[in-house]
Amino acid sequence: MIPEDNRFESDPATVLPEDPGLPEGWVAEPPDATDERDVLRLTSLLRNHERAGRGWAGASEDDVLVEVSEHGLAMRENLVVRDHTGDIRAWGSVHDRSVGRMLYVHIVDRTLDEAPARACSQVLFTWAEAQAQAVGAARELTVQQIDTGAFADDERQHQWLEGRGFEKVRTWWQMSRPVAPEESELVPSPELWEENGVRFRSVTRQGDGMPDEADLRAVHDVLEGAFTDHFNSSEETFEEFVHRLREDPGHRWDHWWLAELLDGEQPQACGALVGTVSESARGTDGSYVSYLGVLESARGRGVAKGLLHTIIADAANRGRDRVGLEVDADSPTGAEGLYVAMGWATKYVTESWHKDVPVR
């Protein structure tokens, strides 16, 4: 369930030492999401972080607001470090993602000299580890995992993570596939089509565009079942699942699909795909596969391929030029083989770094 109050400690003074080791006149405090200057500065920091790590920036103000807005704070907490002029030079964000799993964003101004940059980094780590203890205690755990990401070529981030006791645990290929207009004919209709005893259809929506709850629960159940044996799987309630996905700036209810087996008297949900919009400020928008899951009982029936054909055809119908997705490079299932065969290629590489924090 979504708690009435988030599980983190909102007052940084409670979890940071009296002297956090910052340069004179610098302070650590929560950002002000209602101040457009703070939002713009955080967006700039995030975009510069992306440029340094992978060579180009894609983040927008909407991505920042997911982390810092009042709506996002139901499951998140944020900290910024301001210099003596009040300018934000570092930003940390923690997300109570699911039981035992806390996501962590760690960004430090790329223009800072090494000493103040490292000081900012250490303050963010100290704060994040204290927040891990707070959320772990609230969930009655003995150990709380911190899960953070890094670009594969970001050596500064790697050094800081290693120095703070984080371990690189996974590599992810961020893949993209071009979409041609004629691929709108890959399937009869992205809304509804059938093949080999499997029906592919959009999640049912009411007249006001809102989805049918039974279909949303079917998507959640399929994904929970499909990912049970996957890396770092963590149980997420239906309420947490829907709340989190609705926060995505690219969220659209008409980008959710179900696959159903038609073998019995009643259709049985066996696969699900949750897609989003990848908006572009300078060119054509794309589509993105946020989640694709197939129950083990239905594997070998062409369900994953059918769902992928559906989102490709949907993207072509909408005039989009690409479909992106993330692949676990270390997965033993060999899923990347399907994606490569269907035209996906790796655009850049990211990593997952973890640290287990004992809960006092």
Side-chain angles (χ1 to χ4, degrees), residues 325-341:
L325 50 77
E326 178 182 79
V327 182
D328 181 353
D330 303 312
S331 172
T333 64
E336 75 280 358
L338 171 64
Y339 301 130
V340 171

Side-chain angles (χ1 to χ4, degrees), residues 177 179-191 193 309-320:
R177 178 197 188 279
V179 172
E182 60 269 21
E183 289 183 305
S184 62
E185 301 179 6
L186 271 177
V187 304
S189 169
E191 292 287 327
W193 66 285
H309 276 160
T310 300
I311 194 172
I312 293 168
D314 179 78
N317 278 328
R318 297 176 188 272
R320 297 177 186 162

Side-chain angles (χ1 to χ4, degrees), residues 284-298:
T284 305
D285 291 344
S287 294
Y288 187 82
V289 180
S290 294
Y291 286 95
L292 171 63
V294 179
L295 295 179
E296 186 175 2
S297 59

Side-chain angles (χ1 to χ4, degrees), residues 4-219:
E4 291 185 9
D5 297 312
N6 80 22
R7 301 179 178 96
F8 294 114
E9 174 52 61
S10 60
D11 183 3
T14 303
V15 298
L16 290 175
E18 185 174 347
D19 180 7
L22 293 169
E24 185 177 356
W26 292 36
V27 296
E29 63 185 18
D32 183 356
T34 65
D35 187 334
E36 180 65 15
R37 293 169 300 179
D38 273 13
V39 175
L40 288 174
R41 178 57 177 155
L42 292 176
T43 304
S44 176
L45 281 176
L46 178 55
R47 290 177 62 83
N48 287 338
H49 177 79
E50 291 175 332
R51 288 191 189 95
R54 70 180 176 196
W56 54 275
S60 67
E61 289 183 38
D62 287 339
D63 297 299
V64 170
L65 289 172
V66 167
E67 303 292 334
V68 303
S69 70
E70 183 176 353
H71 177 71
L73 292 181
M75 304 293 282
R76 291 175 171 84
E77 197 63 52
N78 290 266
L79 183 78
V80 297
V81 178
R82 298 183 190 271
D83 65 17
H84 64 284
T85 70
D87 192 21
I88 297 175
R89 309 306 293 267
W91 172 33
S93 178
V94 289
H95 178 191
D96 183 12
R97 168 68 166 73
S98 55
V99 176
R101 186 180 179 199
M102 185 190 86
L103 303 187
Y104 172 44
V105 174
H106 181 101
I107 297 174
V108 178
D109 189 344
R110 294 284 170 165
T111 67
L112 281 176
D113 292 336
E114 182 178 354
R118 185 172 295 278
C120 287
S121 175
Q122 292 303 312
V123 167
L124 295 183
F125 280 129
T126 298
W127 173 80
E129 289 165 13
Q131 295 291 7
Q133 292 181 338
V135 74
R139 285 188 178 267
E140 300 182 344
L141 305 175
T142 58
V143 175
Q144 174 67 54
Q145 177 195 96
I146 303 179
D147 180 349
T148 192
F151 295 110
D153 296 328
D154 193 344
E155 291 300 325
R156 185 183 80 164
Q157 198 83 339
H158 299 169
Q159 291 174 6
W160 286 350
L161 289 166
E162 289 175 350
R164 198 68 186 211
F166 283 74
E167 178 184 0
K168 187 179 80 170
V169 295
R170 216 66 171 182
T171 301
W172 306 89
W173 293 328
Q174 308 299 326
M175 308 184 82
S176 185
R177 178 197 188 279
V179 172
E182 60 269 21
E183 289 183 305
S184 62
E185 301 179 6
L186 271 177
V187 304
S189 169
E191 292 287 327
L192 177 65
W193 66 285
E194 296 180 14
E195 185 175 72
N196 298 329
V198 181
R199 179 165 66 197
F200 302 90
R201 66 175 178 85
S202 295
V203 165
T204 303
R205 300 185 303 282
Q206 311 302 324
D208 60 359
M210 293 301 292
D212 180 75
E213 183 176 333
D215 274 5
L216 293 188
R217 290 188 177 275
V219 170

